[in-house]
């Protein structure tokens, strides 16, 4: 539901679809300081100064809460746009693809530790190091550009998530106020009025500067999302009017296909949390176990909400999934709790990208006036988020756009490129250059998702907002 923060990494940490992605932990350049043989002997675990490490099971828990993004409450609508059975199969495939790219990112970082003799890195650090300490001399000068590209994608992704959360809160509140089973964004007042009404409350909660006051709510949000999944199974099964086998395998809608891919990836993506979790593990070389265990649970959760949400509520399903639940005491409590939890996690998701932006903005101001300027910029950013949510109040299409643009890069293209830079010379490209072909396949998939997915989702979003009634 939210990308909640993990506070155990030394750099900036990212809220959930990311305990740690942003980061300005390294101030200088990265250089190769060891031969391949010496790099293999580097004990980065001993060199780390981590006060409290996590076991494999604890790391699996962190990964699960980091991966379950806000898209999970809209995945059923994406299933509807794609087709029940095609979506189900793609859900499994995308879960594997996301998991594998998280794995290669962690493995690349562990190779880089030895080469540059540094015990841990953030995602932006690794991106920078992959070019500065990489094999391609002509690309070294673009190392900071690569780092900034990772930073920008993180900021867009998480601020975009905040836009989604505002719409989720507004739609839930609208239904509660109207006390209706129907979900209608129009009427008087419309969904946009509710979004504007949330501007001041969101500004106020984002004035909390200490993350420790917000982080405990992440555990409550984790428990809540499990309850929502079980409730979706119950009410979906109870409300279903036809056999799942009667649903179309594919809805013959290319736009719907790419919307589904974007929403699905957004719902499961945890690549931003990968290095934060790996950096804090007692036995970081067991990260593959964490990846398999955690992502299996994440994929199962997303499939559950998607399958039962679409099967139960059919073509009239709306996001978030809780608004489709009947007007009964328990669902009403769930709806109200949904609005409250998303409100708190809005602040959690806002915290990390703003910290990254503030790192650059504060250089323009006198340190004695940081107190005032930080609050001014926080308010400006929340206003900007609110205006975007006001303009584009379509949850699933907005999530599809974010997933297609941000996570095609951060989740697929960037990790594949970083891995290629590390294997180019040592151990090489392998028999028939299979490592190069693997990169090309991941890169092509990422580019198709980025270009076609971003275009189709943006087109449908604009069409839904500006041409729906024409």
């Amino acid at each position: 539901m939210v990308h909640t923060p993990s506070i155990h990494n030394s750099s900036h940490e990212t809220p959930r679809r990311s305990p740690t992605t942003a980061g300005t932990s390294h101030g200088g350049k990265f250089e190769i300081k060891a031969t391949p043989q010496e790099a293999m002997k580097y004990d980065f675990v001993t060199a780390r100064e981590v006060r409290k490490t996590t076991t494999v099971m604890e790391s699996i828990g962190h990964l699960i809460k980091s991966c379950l993004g806000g898209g999970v409450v809209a995945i059923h609508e994406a299933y509807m746009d794609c087709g029940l059975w095609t979506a189900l199969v793609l859900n499994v495939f995308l879960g594997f693809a996301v998991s594998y790219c998280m794995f290669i990112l962690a493995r690349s970082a562990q190779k880089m530790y030895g080469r540059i003799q540094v015990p841990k890195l953030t995602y932006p650090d690794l991106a920078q190091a992959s070019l500065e300490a990489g094999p391609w001399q002509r690309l070294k000068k673009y190392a900071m550009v690569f780092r900034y590209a990772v930073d920008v994608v993180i900021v867009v992704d998480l601020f975009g998530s905040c836009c989604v959360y505002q719409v989720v809160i507004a739609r839930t509140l609208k239904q509660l106020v109207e006390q209706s089973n129907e979900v209608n964004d129009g009427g008087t007042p419309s969904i946009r009025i509710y979004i504007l009404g949330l501007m001041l409350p969101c500004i106020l909660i984002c004035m909390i500067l200490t993350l420790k006051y917000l982080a405990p709510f992440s555990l409550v949000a984790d428990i809540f999302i499990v309850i929502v999944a079980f409730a979706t199974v119950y009410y979906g099964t109870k409300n279903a009017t036809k056999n799942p086998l009667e649903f179309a395998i594919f809805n013959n809608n290319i736009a719907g296909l790419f919307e589904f891919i974007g929403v699905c990836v957004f719902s499961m993506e945890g690549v931003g949390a990968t290095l934060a979790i790996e950096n804090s593990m007692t036995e970081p070389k067991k990260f593959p176990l964490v990846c398999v265990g955690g992502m299996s649970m994440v994929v199962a959760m997303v499939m559950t909400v998607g399958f039962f949400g679409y099967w139960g509520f059919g073509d009239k399903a709306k996001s978030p999934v809780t608004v489709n639940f009947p007007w009964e005491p328990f669902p009403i409590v769930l709806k109200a709790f949904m609005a409250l939890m998303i409100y708190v996690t809005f602040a959690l998701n806002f915290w990390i990208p703003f910290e990254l932006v503030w790192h650059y903005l504060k250089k323009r101001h006198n340190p004695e006036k940081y107190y005032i300027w930080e609050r001014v910029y926080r308010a400006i950013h929340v206003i900007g988020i609110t205006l975007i949510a006001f303009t584009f109040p379509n949850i699933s299409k907005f999530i599809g756009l974010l997933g297609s643009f941000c996570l095609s890069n951060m989740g697929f293209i960037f990790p594949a490129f970083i891995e290629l830079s590390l294997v180019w010379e040592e151990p090489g490209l392998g028999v028939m250059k299979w490592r190069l072909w693997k990169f090309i396949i991941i890169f092509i998939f990422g580019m198709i998702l980025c270009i076609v997915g971003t275009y189709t989702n943006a087109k449908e979003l604009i069409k839904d907002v500006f041409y729906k009634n024409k």
Side-chain angles (χ1 to χ4, degrees):
M1 159 128 35
V2 25
H3 306 324
T4 50
S6 179
I7 322 177
H8 48 266
N9 192 288
S10 61
S11 69
H12 293 307
E13 305 283 344
T14 326
R16 205 172 41 171
R17 212 187 346 155
S18 355
T20 53
T21 41
T24 52
S25 63
H26 191 273
K29 291 188 176 182
F30 295 98
E31 299 176 353
I32 295 179
K33 297 180 180 179
T35 64
Q37 293 74 24
E38 293 172 337
M40 292 177 65
K41 297 178 182 178
Y42 179 65
D43 187 357
F44 60 87
V45 179
T46 303
R48 287 177 176 175
E49 297 179 359
V50 182
R51 294 180 182 179
K52 182 181 178 182
T53 58
T54 56
T55 64
V56 170
M57 291 304 298
E58 288 172 332
S59 299
I60 288 175
H62 286 308
L63 184 62
I64 291 172
K65 76 174 185 178
S66 300
C67 291
L68 285 175
V72 72
V73 298
I75 189 64
H76 62 295
E77 198 171 350
Y79 265 65
M80 175 181 67
D81 292 329
C82 180
L84 185 64
W85 298 103
T86 299
L88 201 64
V89 173
L90 280 176
N91 204 154
V92 176
F93 168 75
L94 291 171
F96 171 79
V98 167
S99 304
Y100 183 71
C101 287
M102 291 168 61
F103 163 71
I104 65 175
L105 189 71
R107 183 176 61 184
S108 297
Q110 292 179 359
K111 289 180 180 179
M112 185 64 77
Y113 299 148
R115 294 189 184 185
I116 61 177
Q117 302 289 288
V118 171
K120 59 182 179 179
L121 296 167
T122 65
Y123 195 166
D125 286 339
L126 181 59
Q128 179 185 341
S130 69
L131 290 185
E132 286 183 343
W136 306 300
Q137 292 297 321
R138 292 183 178 181
L139 295 182
K140 290 183 184 292
K141 60 183 177 182
Y142 298 109
M144 290 304 295
V145 175
F146 192 13
R147 181 190 185 96
Y148 294 147
V150 174
D151 285 341
V152 168
V153 171
I154 289 167
V155 169
V156 172
D157 179 37
L158 293 176
F159 278 149
S161 298
C162 290
C163 296
V164 172
Y165 294 145
Q166 276 200 328
V167 180
V168 170
I169 299 168
R171 186 171 283 177
T172 303
L173 287 177
K174 189 174 189 296
Q175 188 185 39
L176 289 171
V177 170
E178 294 177 354
Q179 299 183 15
S180 171
N181 278 325
E182 298 298 322
V183 183
N184 183 12
D185 287 348
T188 305
S190 70
I191 186 71
R192 286 186 167 90
I193 301 302
Y194 282 89
I195 293 172
L196 287 179
L198 288 169
M199 183 187 295
L200 182 57
C202 287
I203 289 175
L204 292 176
I205 197 170
C206 287
M207 291 298 162
I208 298 175
L209 305 185
T210 305
L211 194 59
K212 67 180 182 180
Y213 296 130
L214 296 171
F217 290 97
S218 67
L219 177 60
V220 180
D222 296 335
I223 297 171
F224 177 68
I225 203 168
V226 173
I227 295 172
V228 168
F230 280 110
T232 302
V233 173
Y234 176 76
Y235 290 112
T237 305
K238 186 178 179 180
N239 195 69
T241 57
K242 60 181 180 179
N243 191 302
L245 296 176
E246 296 177 20
F247 282 79
I249 294 175
F250 178 58
N251 285 342
N252 297 316
N253 183 352
I254 298 301
L257 173 65
F258 278 96
E259 180 181 328
F260 168 77
I261 294 174
V263 174
C264 190
V265 171
F266 185 93
S267 304
M268 300 185 297
E269 183 63 70
V271 69
T274 300
L275 296 187
I277 293 169
E278 187 273 347
N279 286 346
S280 299
M281 289 181 64
T282 307
E283 301 174 277
K285 291 185 178 180
K286 290 186 177 180
F287 183 81
L289 293 177
V290 173
C291 199
V292 171
M295 288 305 295
S296 297
M297 294 295 294
V298 170
V299 173
M301 190 76 69
V302 173
M303 289 175 65
T304 297
V305 176
F307 181 86
F308 287 95
Y310 179 35
W311 174 34
F313 306 115
D315 294 334
K316 294 183 179 180
K318 296 290 184 181
S319 300
V321 68
T322 50
V323 300
N324 301 285
F325 295 171
W327 194 256
E328 299 172 0
F330 179 66
I332 291 173
V333 172
L334 278 183
K335 296 170 197 280
F337 205 61
M338 165 72 83
L340 179 61
M341 281 296 95
I342 292 293
Y343 175 62
V344 175
T345 53
F346 175 95
L348 285 166
N349 243 49
F350 179 88
W351 196 86
I352 289 308
F354 180 80
E355 284 296 298
L356 179 57
V357 171
W358 175 239
H359 172 77
Y360 297 104
L361 288 176
K362 68 183 180 182
K363 297 176 182 179
R364 301 172 176 269
H365 301 285
N366 186 331
E368 295 180 358
K369 297 183 178 180
Y370 281 175
Y371 180 88
I372 296 174
W373 280 112
E374 181 175 0
R375 285 159 176 77
V376 170
Y377 282 121
R378 281 176 176 266
I380 291 173
H381 279 77
V382 174
I383 292 171
I385 288 168
T386 303
L387 293 177
I388 293 172
F390 175 87
T391 306
F392 303 104
N394 188 307
I395 297 174
S396 62
K397 289 180 172 57
F398 198 94
I399 291 176
L401 178 62
L402 289 174
S404 297
F405 174 72
C406 298
L407 300 174
S408 59
N409 288 289
M410 190 167 69
F412 298 110
I413 297 173
F414 293 169
F417 178 79
I418 289 170
E419 183 192 44
L420 185 67
S421 72
L422 280 155
V423 303
W424 189 264
E425 293 180 339
E426 176 64 38
L429 299 180
V431 179
M432 299 180 66
K433 298 184 178 181
W434 70 270
R435 291 188 178 93
L436 177 60
W437 285 109
K438 181 182 72 171
F439 163 75
I440 291 173
I441 291 170
I442 297 174
F443 179 80
I444 291 175
F445 174 76
M447 287 302 296
I448 290 174
L449 177 57
C450 182
I451 297 172
V452 181
T454 300
Y455 171 76
T456 54
N457 279 289
K459 180 181 177 181
E460 290 299 311
L461 189 63
I462 292 171
K463 180 180 176 182
D464 180 76
V465 172
F466 298 106
Y467 301 100
K468 189 173 183 179
N469 298 319
K470 291 185 179 182

